[in-house]
Amino acid sequence: MSTVGAYFRLARVGWVLVREGVISALPSEDLPPLVAFAKGAAGLLARKRARREQRSDRLARAVERLGPSYVKIGQFLATRPDVVGADFADDLAGLQDRMAFFPTDAAKATVTGSLGRSIDDLYASFGEPIAAASIAQVHPAEVDTPDGRKKVAVKVIRPGVRKRFAADLEAMYLVSHLQERFLPHTRRLRPVEVTRTLEQTTKVEMDLRLEAAALSEITENTRNDPGFRVPIVDWERTGRDVVTMEWIDGIKMSDVEALKAAGHDLDHLADTLIQSFLRHTLRDGFFHADMHPGNLFVAPDGMIVAVDMGIAGRLGKKERRFLAEILYGFITRDYLRVAEVHFEAGYVPSHHNIASFAQAIRAIGEPIHGQPAETISMGKLLTLLFEVTELFDMETRPELVMLQKTMVVVEGVARMLNPRFNMWKASDPVVSQWIRDNLGPKRVVGDLKDGVRAALRLAEALPEIAAKTEKLHGEIVHMSENGLRFDSETTEAIGRSEARHSRFGRLALWVIAALLLLIAVKIG
């Protein structure tokens, strides 16, 4: 991934961060003298306007200057406080829906190219954009149906965003590889794996058919749930670059005054929101992972409607059980069981002492008991838990961090609606029901059924396993008698790769030297 283009793109990112004052706004505590000097020099190169802004404003402006793919990267890193720190995660969380619109003619061309039909054939009307994000923008439109003309929302992919993101991702991979190489203590955070997760998540988000599928799946999961739903997808007008869905007439959940004026019960909405999220997480193992207030509407009938399913999270059956046991252990003050669950799940390496880890867990749990329930944040509890596990070499678990971040956001929305929101009381019906169904006798029966199914699958695969084992044995015997050999094509490929890496490395050094010279001239 360390191509010349990646080095140049990385240099541009650094220059924009310097000019917008992001580097100079970083904390100065415990910095080595040379790094502190470089930070001071960066402050001299910052724009005068940037020096007067808050760090969050500087970071948002810098990311927006870098383009849509970096906005997406920023939004993704906002879900990873374990990687960038809680303060930066909060700053990056403000990057929602702040992109400029692209022309409607370009959107129409994208729709036509994706669906193979003209706009007039697909829609009775197609309006100007009303919302724009890093990957796509939304247009109001109308379609003719047997029941008459109906308003819909059309989400269209941003032109050229895939190519731009692929190029910028090379720079991200370069940074993550350099981080693992030169900052060994950060390997626990698995920066390359985080970048790979970003790549996969964004590729999924850039295929709007998959967002439509996520909407369809959660529609089936929540068919009988009270107070929550998602828009219905129009599959006839949905493709890779466009998704058409039901138009939602409602009030954004961020507009608390409008919700009050419309007569909605805000306390009930807060309870419904958190119960819905926990139901999706524990029961279904599939949840909306971008539930900020701008993506949540309240329909006139009081139904919560969540839009923009581009980012979704999944938890396996085992992860759901561990999550429930961890939460239940905190509630019952069974800290040893919480520690055991972490070891059983493989979250904490086995060479650590369970009793010592339980002691660290107790340091989190005990301050909670005795406090008023409405002051205890489940999201904050999980955040503290991840901070403590750092002391015990717990590696990053992307699925759990996404869950934790989403829970913090959802709980924040609930407290915005009801400042005295009692997280534990609101979640009790859902969590207690799940624990009764999955941590009692029903769990044993379910585990037995899963074991029988796994044994049957293994029995069916035994002939193939035996054949592959015999083949592997023959290859090992042949290798032991004749040695390990590369064919000429493989040898030449290795040589070309090494030569190319060497050339790129020398060129990168010259680029870095030139940039340092430029900074020195500016300072002089």
Side-chain angles (χ1 to χ4, degrees):
M1 286 292 182
S2 54
T3 64
V4 175
Y7 279 106
F8 276 112
R9 280 187 288 273
L10 189 57
R12 175 177 176 267
V13 171
W15 179 246
V16 171
L17 292 177
V18 167
R19 290 291 286 163
E20 294 300 334
V22 176
I23 302 298
S24 59
L26 294 174
S28 300
E29 294 82 6
D30 301 323
L31 289 180
L34 185 60
V35 177
F37 173 77
K39 178 177 176 292
L44 297 176
L45 298 173
R47 299 176 190 272
K48 292 181 179 180
R49 178 195 61 198
R51 298 172 192 170
R52 297 190 297 268
E53 295 176 330
Q54 297 292 327
R55 188 185 66 189
S56 57
D57 296 329
R58 300 181 191 185
L59 185 59
R61 189 182 301 278
V63 173
E64 288 169 7
R65 271 191 63 189
L66 289 169
S69 55
Y70 279 96
V71 172
K72 174 48 58 184
I73 291 169
Q75 291 171 340
F76 173 81
L77 291 177
T79 69
R80 302 303 303 269
D82 60 317
V83 175
V84 299
D87 292 339
F88 269 103
D90 289 341
D91 292 345
L92 291 167
L95 293 173
Q96 306 292 345
D97 301 332
R98 296 175 62 164
M99 296 302 299
F101 295 130
F102 58 86
T104 300
D105 289 343
K108 290 180 177 180
T110 298
V111 173
T112 300
S114 182
L115 301 180
R117 297 163 61 184
S118 69
I119 291 292
D120 292 339
D121 185 31
L122 291 164
Y123 304 100
S125 67
F126 192 93
E128 295 297 316
I130 57 170
S134 57
I135 291 212
Q137 69 182 25
V138 177
H139 295 257
E142 292 179 317
V143 297
D144 289 322
T145 70
D147 299 325
R149 186 162 290 188
K150 185 172 67 172
K151 192 174 184 180
V152 294
V154 185
K155 186 175 180 179
V156 185
I157 207 79
R158 189 174 286 274
V161 70
R162 292 187 184 91
K163 183 177 180 181
R164 177 70 181 272
F165 181 77
D168 291 335
L169 194 65
E170 287 190 4
M172 285 290 296
Y173 269 112
L174 177 59
V175 170
S176 59
H177 281 293
L178 292 174
Q179 182 179 348
E180 287 198 350
R181 181 176 179 182
F182 295 108
L183 300 173
H185 67 280
T186 66
R187 290 173 187 165
R188 181 188 68 85
L189 300 175
R190 299 157 68 187
V192 174
E193 185 63 30
V194 169
T195 305
R196 193 171 291 117
T197 302
L198 166 64
E199 179 180 17
Q200 179 60 28
T201 300
T202 308
K203 282 182 177 178
V204 168
E205 195 174 354
M206 288 179 183
D207 189 335
L208 298 185
R209 294 170 299 189
L210 299 181
E211 179 177 349
L215 286 168
S216 177
E217 181 176 349
I218 204 167
T219 295
E220 292 182 3
N221 292 343
T222 62
R223 192 178 306 279
N224 298 317
D225 288 359
F228 183 94
R229 70 180 185 91
V230 295
I232 303 299
V233 175
D234 181 345
W235 284 101
E236 180 186 353
R237 297 170 178 83
T238 293
R240 188 184 73 148
D241 297 337
V242 56
V243 57
T244 303
M245 66 191 81
E246 168 192 7
W247 181 268
I248 301 300
D249 280 318
I251 302 171
K252 278 192 176 184
M253 199 165 273
S254 56
D255 194 346
V256 175
E257 294 303 318
L259 292 173
K260 289 180 180 177
H264 292 294
D265 184 341
L266 301 191
D267 294 354
H268 177 70
L269 286 175
D271 289 349
T272 301
L273 179 64
I274 201 68
Q275 288 174 4
S276 297
F277 170 71
L278 290 172
R279 197 176 287 118
H280 305 160
T281 303
L282 295 174
R283 181 193 64 193
D284 307 325
F286 181 62
F287 59 93
H288 192 311
D290 195 20
M291 293 179 71
H292 64 82
N295 281 342
L296 298 170
F297 290 80
V298 180
D301 61 357
M303 182 78 72
I304 297 173
V305 187
V307 301
D308 195 355
M309 278 286 293
I311 304 176
R314 289 192 184 274
L315 287 180
K317 188 174 182 180
K318 182 174 70 173
E319 286 77 19
R320 284 180 267 161
R321 193 180 81 207
F322 290 144
L323 172 66
E325 287 209 62
I326 288 170
L327 295 177
Y328 191 68
F330 274 109
I331 294 171
T332 59
R333 302 173 74 174
D334 189 351
Y335 304 120
L336 181 60
R337 180 56 191 154
V338 175
E340 289 172 346
V341 168
H342 278 78
F343 279 80
E344 290 171 9
Y347 297 158
V348 177
S350 59
H351 66 267
H352 284 288
N353 183 276
I354 292 182
S356 296
F357 186 62
Q359 178 184 353
I361 297 298
R362 181 180 293 273
I364 298 173
E366 282 303 301
I368 290 175
H369 291 281
Q371 291 187 32
E374 61 268 17
T375 68
I376 302 172
S377 164
M378 187 181 293
K380 181 64 174 176
L381 184 149
L382 291 178
T383 300
L384 293 172
L385 181 61
F386 288 144
E387 289 177 357
V388 166
T389 53
E390 180 181 355
L391 302 175
F392 291 83
D393 304 318
M394 176 174 166
E395 290 191 344
T396 293
R397 306 288 302 192
E399 72 280 5
L400 296 182
V401 175
M402 181 176 286
L403 168 69
Q404 177 256 332
K405 179 64 178 179
T406 308
M407 186 176 290
V408 170
V409 172
V410 173
E411 187 178 19
V413 176
R415 291 188 187 277
M416 179 181 68
L417 297 171
N418 175 13
R420 296 185 59 80
F421 176 69
N422 186 327
M423 177 75 173
W424 303 96
K425 182 179 178 181
S427 61
D428 181 67
V430 177
V431 175
S432 297
Q433 181 64 46
W434 196 91
I435 288 174
R436 284 193 297 270
D437 291 344
N438 293 274
L439 299 184
K442 288 185 179 181
R443 170 195 164 186
V444 177
V445 174
D447 288 348
L448 287 174
K449 289 180 179 179
D450 291 342
V452 170
R453 281 195 291 266
L456 289 174
R457 287 195 297 269
L458 179 61
E460 292 173 353
L462 279 177
E464 183 180 355
I465 293 173
K468 289 183 176 180
T469 302
E470 183 178 1
K471 181 180 178 182
L472 177 62
H473 175 263
E475 291 176 350
I476 292 174
V477 170
H478 178 78
M479 189 186 305
S480 66
E481 294 175 350
N482 301 284
L484 179 63
R485 298 176 182 273
F486 290 125
D487 58 32
S488 58
E489 184 178 345
T490 301
T491 304
E492 291 176 5
I494 292 174
R496 288 195 300 268
S497 176
E498 288 295 324
R500 185 165 55 250
H501 178 76
S502 179
R503 290 196 301 270
F504 287 157
R506 287 195 298 270
L507 182 56
L509 290 175
W510 280 108
V511 170
I512 293 171
L515 288 173
L516 290 174
L517 180 60
L518 175 62
I519 292 174
V521 171
K522 290 281 186 179
I523 294 174

